[in-house]
Structure formats: C-alpha cells, structure tokens
Amino acid sequence: MIYEPSSTAVVVFSLFVVVTLGLSFYLGRRARTAAGYYAAGGSVPWFVNGIAFAGDYLSAASFLGICGMIAFFGYDGFLYSIGYLAGWVVALFVIAEPLKRLGRYTFADALDNQFRSRAIKLVAAVSTLAVSVFYLIPQMVGAGVLIKPLLGLPHWAGVITVGAVVILIVATAGMASTTYVQFLKGSLLVLFSAGLTVLILFRGLKVDPSPEASAQQTVTVTADGKTLVNGKPQGRGPGEADLRPVGHVSKLPGGASETGPLGPIEFLSTVRDSEIVLWREKTVIDDAGNKVTTYSPKPTSGSDVLRPGNHPMFADLQKESLPAKLNFISLMLALFCGTASLPHILIRYYTVKDSAAARKSTVIGIAAIGCFYILTLYMGLGAMTGGSMDPSNNNMAAPLLARSFGDLPFAIISAVAFTTILGTVSGLIVAASGAVVHDVLTGCFKLDVTDTGKVRIGRLAAVGVGLVAIILGIMFERMNVNYLVGWAFSVAASANLPALVMLLFWKRTTKQGIVASVFAGMVSSLTWILLSGDTFKNVYGLSAEQSPVPFSQPGLVTIPLSFAVLVVVSLLTRPKAAS
Amino acid sequence: MASFDHSHLPPPEVRDPAVERYNARLGLVLFAVYLAAYGGYVFINAFRPSLMDQVVFSGINLAVASGLGLIVGAVVLAVVYARLCRRPKGGGA
C-alpha cells in the first residue's frame, strides 16, 4: 500500500523526539560515573522503575507484532500476550530479589558472584550480546515499518532515524536517560492503547456488504522490477491502482447491520457470534518470472477466530499432529522462561536501591504490562473488523486502526509506537554496552580502566551496537517482528535461565557447570533456530520440509538440555573436599 | 526527577536470612500455583483444543476466558506476594 505522510503525524512525532532527546541531554550531565551510566546510581524510585519495566518490555513485537497477528489470525496472536505476561511470574517469584542482592551492573555479576570466574563473565557477555542482537532486529524492523506511513520515508530511513536517536539517548546518559524514556513510553503506551480500545468499543461492529470489501487483490512484481496492483501500475493517479484497505465483518448475530457501542465482554461475545473476513496471502512465480502475490478473502466464523489455529504456525494444533503440538508447547515454554532471562530486563533490577524495591517495581510492571496485553486483544480485533488493514503488512495493523479514527489518533499512536521502539532499543543497547565493558573488558580481560574510562568506552560500545542494529534492521525488513522476538526468547531462556535458577537453588552448582550450561543453551538454541523449518522457509527461501529438526521452536529441547548440562558438568567438577 | 543525580550505588542492603528464606519459599509456592494454571492452559490447547470452543460465561469461550484469567491471575498473585512478603528489620522502605 502507498502511505500518504500526515503533517499532524510529523509534528507529533517531532515533538516526541525532541522531548526524548532533551530529557537525555538533561540527564546526561548527571551520569558521569560507571554506577550512574550503567545502573542509574541504583536509586530509581520503585514506581518509576516498575513503569520503566513496562516501557522496556513492551516492544515493537508487543505493540505492532501482536496486534498485527491478532488482526490477521485472531486468537493466535493473543497466545503471545499470555506467554509474555506469564514470564513475569518467573521474574517476580523466582529471580527478582536474589538477582538484586547478587549483582551490580549486569546479570553476569549475579552468575559470577560466588566464583569470580573470567569464563563466566565472558560466556554471559556473549549470551547477552547474542540475545540483545536477536531482540534488536525486530525493534529496528518495526521502526522502518512505522516510519513509512508516518513520514512517507522508505523503510531504511526509519531504521536509520531510530538508530541515530537511540544512539544519542544511550551515549548521552546511559541507564539514566533510558529509564526515564522507558517510563514515559510505558505510561503513554498503556494510556493511549486504553484510549484506542475505548474508541473501538464505542464504534462497535458493522457489516460491510459491498462487493469490493471481499474482492481478491493481486500485486505483481514483474521480472523488470515494476509493481502492478490488480494489473495496473501501482499509484494513486489516473490509470493506476493501489491495494485497498481490508478487514470487515460479513455477518452479525441476528442479521443486524451494526451493533452500536459495545461493552468489553459484549464486544468479545459479539465477535464470537459473527462472521469475519480474514485475508490470506499466497505468492507464486509465474512462467514469465513475475512474482505474483494474491490476497484472498476467507470468511471465518467468530468462534474460529477466537480460538487457536488460524496462523500457519498453529494451524495443525486442531489436528493430531505431534510435531505441531510439541512446537506449540516449546514456544509457550520459551515465552514463560524467556522474560526472566532477558539481559535488558534483568539489568533494570540494579537501578533500584534494594530487593524490596525490586519486588515492588516488578509488581507495578506486571500490572501495567498485564493491562496492556488485555488491550492487545481489543486492538487486534478492532483492526480485524475496522476496514483499515494493509493486506501486505500485518505489522501496520495497530497504527492503521488508529488512522481509521482520524489523523490525530494515528499521529499519537504512531509516535507512541515510535517511542516504544526507542525505549526498548535503548535498554538493549545499555545491556549490550554493559556486557562489553563491564563483563568482557574489565571482568574477563582485567583491563585497568578508570571509572570515567568505563563510561567513555560504554558510549563507544553503544555506538557500535547501534550501528549493527541499523544494518540488521534494514536486512530483515520483511520478517514479522513478533516472530523474531520469539527467537530471542528461546535463546535467552535456553542460555541464561537454567544457570540463574540452578545457581540460586542448587548448592552443588560449579563455575564449570554454569559456563557449560550457558554455552550449551546458547549454541543449541541458535543451531536449532538456524536449522528449523521456519528459517528454511522464511530466511533461506527453501522448503520447510527440508529442515532436519522436527519442529521450529527450540525451547522444549534446549532448555532441559541446558539444565542437564549444568547438572552433569557440576557433578563432574565438584571440589574434592565436597566429594 | 530533580533529585536524580546518582554517581554512586547505594550501600549494601541489610540482610536477614530468615526473611530471605520466607520470601523465597512464598515465591516458590505462588510460582507453583501459577505454573499449574499455565501448564493446564498449554496442555488443553495442545491436546484438547476443542475444549477451547466451549462457552463458559456471557458468550465468552474458554480460550478467551482462560487467557484473560491467566493475565489477571498473574497480577493478583503478584499483589498477594507483595502484601505477604516480609522485610528485614531496619531494612528501610
């Protein structure tokens, strides 16, 4: 679809960027020590930290990816909301307080607390970098997705804009500016998502009986690079055509044509009793070498929309397919275990003064994040039925839904989504920068660096990681952002969680066991992902059947493997006195 | 935010092993409760997906009700945990 830039959106967007950068420069003068730069001095108020948790965690995947997935496939996207929120239970009940007591700047501090091992520092830093890079890709892709309709710029321009702003935020004030940008973003995201949900409920549901609403559409990219929409050159001028926005209700209960305003429960029950037109995409290369993508309507009963099984990844759940069931369990396990293993989340425990503050801020974070995830169901279904979706891009469902209510909601929601990306990317870059400086250079290689030097190198590392993120964000343009985050969760859950949990609850854990566990979890999950059917299909362009692994999500195999490696290696390397 | 000028980490907090043990045990109990609910949800979706179609109240099916329940349940358990946790004596706020 061609997006017309909106001047209101440009103004709101610019305002957000100016406020964010102003905050960063203001705080930058106050973060000149390593403690200030990497941990905001450990004295962020617990309420601010709690909302910042939400700002850190609710990434492009949550806002753009989940809303888009629900809008296109129904309940399947909500599975991610449930899994992402459930992971916070592990963080609060198992990890939060001991982690706060054991560490200072990075999660490697906690792992290494009783061993003082260079190997632990190194392997934990490598794991932090791997997870952060996996998590950065979808954020940057999301930035490019947003900038297209907002400013009318191409994808790469959005990625570079976000990269440049984030590098400035992190390089100026590290964790201090990152915390307040995340606080701002977390508050705005929850509040404006609630506002959008109220608009959805007030609008209610309406049948669109027009034949065009259910007409199939095609996009052809010819062998010589021209784009045709429904056989005409893509454009808005005479003799040109563009993709039509889609998503509507085809039947309401009792043959009604519209419902009027609905309550939250009534909205869900009405969707369940309605028939909704979903859209399916199929791409073929024809004999002339043209790439033809067809978008076809698929009338679907509301009861099917509100249960798992519409997304290709979950389609076989309704059948007796064991690999599909294992793939599903594996994904839900990774989401459950992944949150408490994400380095950029864990370092937020070091920005508060003690374990009680860590606990209270996690409770606030869970409440804010839980509210938001409930809203994703309404925003996704609102986009599905609101006639505003771009059939070629499910990541744009939420901003385009806002556009269906007017230019101002669109401008605000897009700017909030943009700030969402800034907040999460800032957190990831602080985590990566801390791993490079604190864990690798001074922890592992024992470089003698002054406190000011640590801050200076940290800023350079932030610039380096930011540049890598920009390049990857441009390369992975077409991937669904939520899907990519699933990978990051799998790697984090496999590499980090077993070592953290066993360190806290099993006294026989040795440093060799921790190193082996992190290494095994990281390598096995990355290898599994690279060999998975999803990667074969979406990244290599091969058939998923050629994949040597039986299902795509690694967690079910690699998380237990990482636990097992830790136990076996720890038993084999027990100190003699203990044996 | 005006007081947000922190160059150094705060002093180490007061430790109380008995309080830490109590809080850890409480956390594990609540974790087990939630794990059972979450595990049940995943199991039903994987092996009895047709159950998710059943309407449980006000036209809401089990898939939506259990999903919303898991989110609200996590918030409720988090608040319960925060209320029941103990603090070390002299540990401040």
Side-chain angles (χ1 to χ4, degrees):
Chain A
M1 258 171 83
I2 298 171
Y3 301 103
E4 301 290 342
S6 137
S7 52
T8 316
V10 173
V11 170
V12 175
F13 166 82
S14 306
L15 193 68
F16 272 60
V17 171
V18 167
V19 169
T20 305
L21 287 179
L23 191 65
S24 299
F25 284 114
Y26 171 74
L27 293 167
R29 288 175 290 155
R30 296 159 180 250
R32 303 212 183 280
T33 62
Y37 186 81
Y38 294 108
S43 44
V44 174
W46 58 267
F47 183 81
V48 172
N49 202 55
I51 299 296
F53 263 132
D56 205 354
Y57 191 66
L58 298 176
S59 63
S62 293
F63 187 56
L64 302 177
I66 290 180
C67 289
M69 204 165 168
I70 294 174
F72 275 69
F73 302 103
Y75 189 85
D76 292 339
F78 194 52
L79 289 169
Y80 280 90
S81 295
I82 295 161
Y84 285 146
L85 195 273
W88 279 94
V89 167
V90 184
L92 175 63
F93 294 150
V94 183
I95 300 291
E97 292 177 53
L99 190 86
K100 170 62 188 166
R101 285 193 291 268
L102 293 178
R104 287 204 313 159
Y105 296 151
T106 65
F107 104 99
D109 286 342
L111 280 187
D112 190 39
N113 179 272
Q114 54 181 278
F115 301 114
R116 308 284 171 209
S117 156
R118 292 182 181 196
I120 289 181
K121 286 274 191 197
L122 182 63
V123 79
V126 172
S127 164
T128 296
L129 290 172
V131 173
S132 298
V133 167
F134 260 105
Y135 216 103
L136 273 170
I137 297 170
Q139 312 309 320
M140 301 307 275
V141 171
V145 162
L146 271 175
I147 215 85
K148 267 188 189 176
L150 193 63
L151 304 181
L153 296 173
H155 176 88
W156 60 265
V159 174
I160 290 175
T161 307
V162 166
V165 175
V166 165
I167 287 170
L168 270 174
I169 291 172
V170 178
T172 47
M175 199 52 160
S177 54
T178 297
T179 296
Y180 280 94
V181 167
Q182 289 170 345
F183 173 73
L184 191 69
K185 161 225 166 161
S187 316
L188 291 174
L189 186 62
V190 175
L191 288 175
F192 283 105
S193 297
L196 192 54
T197 301
V198 169
L199 291 174
I200 292 165
L201 296 176
F202 191 75
R203 177 163 73 182
L205 298 165
K206 188 177 178 182
V207 172
D208 185 347
S210 64
E212 306 88 66
S214 299
Q216 181 176 285
Q217 306 187 74
T218 58
V219 173
T220 306
V221 179
T222 60
D224 56 355
K226 289 177 187 156
T227 302
L228 307 175
V229 176
N230 299 326
K232 296 177 182 172
Q234 185 174 29
R236 294 276 170 87
E240 295 176 329
D242 191 20
L243 281 173
R244 196 186 55 256
V246 299
H248 69 281
V249 178
S250 49
K251 281 181 199 163
L252 278 171
S257 60
E258 60 184 298
T259 61
L262 294 167
I265 298 293
E266 200 184 358
F267 179 84
L268 296 173
S269 62
T270 308
V271 167
R272 188 182 176 280
D273 294 334
S274 304
E275 182 184 84
I276 294 157
V277 176
L278 303 183
W279 289 79
R280 293 293 171 259
E281 175 183 322
K282 189 177 179 187
T283 300
V284 294
I285 307 291
D286 67 15
D287 295 340
N290 302 321
K291 184 179 167 192
V292 182
T293 305
T294 308
Y295 302 97
S296 307
K298 185 188 174 201
T300 307
S301 74
S303 61
D304 281 348
V305 166
L306 288 179
R307 68 169 191 182
N310 286 298
H311 190 279
M313 186 162 50
F314 304 112
D316 289 341
L317 263 185
Q318 303 292 337
K319 304 171 190 166
E320 289 304 312
S321 161
L322 186 61
K325 294 179 190 307
L326 295 179
N327 195 51
F328 170 74
I329 295 170
S330 197
L331 172 69
M332 297 308 279
L333 180 67
L335 298 185
F336 190 62
C337 298
T339 300
S341 339
L342 293 171
H344 69 291
I345 296 298
L346 295 178
I347 58 171
R348 186 144 289 294
Y349 284 116
Y350 302 130
T351 61
V352 290
K353 68 171 183 174
D354 57 22
S355 47
R359 179 174 66 235
K360 285 190 278 189
S361 61
T362 313
V363 174
I364 295 296
I366 289 176
I369 294 165
C371 285
F372 175 79
Y373 280 137
I374 289 175
L375 299 175
T376 58
L377 185 60
Y378 291 95
M379 290 190 287
L381 293 174
M384 177 190 276
T385 55
S388 59
M389 291 191 300
D390 175 354
S392 67
N393 188 345
N394 61 21
N395 290 324
M396 274 307 291
L400 290 176
L401 166 70
R403 180 169 245 172
S404 72
F405 290 105
D407 225 24
L408 188 62
F410 169 69
I412 293 173
I413 286 292
S414 297
V416 168
F418 193 79
T419 320
T420 292
I421 294 171
L422 295 184
T424 303
V425 175
S426 307
L428 286 163
I429 292 183
V430 170
S433 154
V436 169
V437 178
H438 183 65
D439 299 339
V440 177
L441 295 183
T442 62
C444 178
F445 295 121
K446 302 290 178 195
L447 289 188
D448 189 16
V449 184
T450 63
D451 206 53
T452 321
K454 283 182 186 174
V455 176
R456 198 175 302 130
I457 301 171
R459 288 178 168 147
L460 286 174
V463 174
V465 177
L467 291 175
V468 169
I470 288 172
I471 294 166
L472 293 173
I474 293 171
M475 284 171 60
F476 282 80
E477 177 183 354
R478 293 282 298 167
M479 296 288 278
N480 176 288
V481 295
N482 192 37
Y483 180 75
L484 287 167
V485 165
W487 286 0
F489 269 70
S490 295
V491 176
S494 306
N496 301 342
L497 191 76
L500 265 177
V501 168
M502 295 304 272
L503 178 76
L504 297 176
F505 296 102
W506 195 49
K507 287 181 180 165
R508 292 182 179 183
T509 302
T510 64
K511 65 181 177 187
Q512 293 89 342
I514 288 179
V515 171
S517 169
V518 174
F519 185 76
M522 183 169 50
V523 171
S524 62
S525 56
L526 283 171
T527 306
W528 190 285
I529 287 167
L530 293 175
L531 294 177
S532 71
D534 284 345
T535 308
F536 267 56
K537 188 177 162 196
N538 296 325
V539 179
Y540 309 145
L542 301 171
S543 160
E545 281 74 40
Q546 291 176 267
S547 160
V549 295
F551 49 89
S552 288
Q553 297 291 335
L556 191 61
V557 174
T558 56
I559 296 171
L561 174 73
S562 182
F563 272 109
V565 165
L566 186 144
V567 171
V568 170
V569 173
S570 291
L571 290 176
L572 291 174
T573 56
R574 273 185 300 178
K576 283 184 181 162
S579 59
Chain B
M1 206 192 306
S3 64
F4 195 67
D5 185 7
H6 312 294
S7 303
H8 304 286
L9 293 174
E13 62 184 292
V14 176
R15 301 279 304 263
D16 182 337
V19 168
E20 287 172 14
R21 268 198 307 277
Y22 170 84
N23 290 351
R25 202 172 299 133
L26 175 65
L28 288 177
V29 169
L30 294 176
F31 172 74
V33 170
Y34 195 84
L35 180 63
Y38 185 78
Y41 171 81
V42 172
F43 179 87
I44 292 173
N45 270 299
F47 297 104
R48 296 281 183 275
S50 57
L51 280 180
M52 285 290 162
D53 261 345
Q54 304 295 315
V55 173
V56 289
F57 72 92
S58 301
I60 302 292
N61 66 10
L62 181 62
V64 173
S66 56
L68 294 175
L70 280 169
I71 293 177
V72 174
V75 178
V76 170
L77 285 184
V79 172
V80 168
Y81 179 64
R83 298 280 298 178
L84 295 181
C85 268
R86 293 178 185 161
R87 285 185 199 155
K89 283 176 189 163

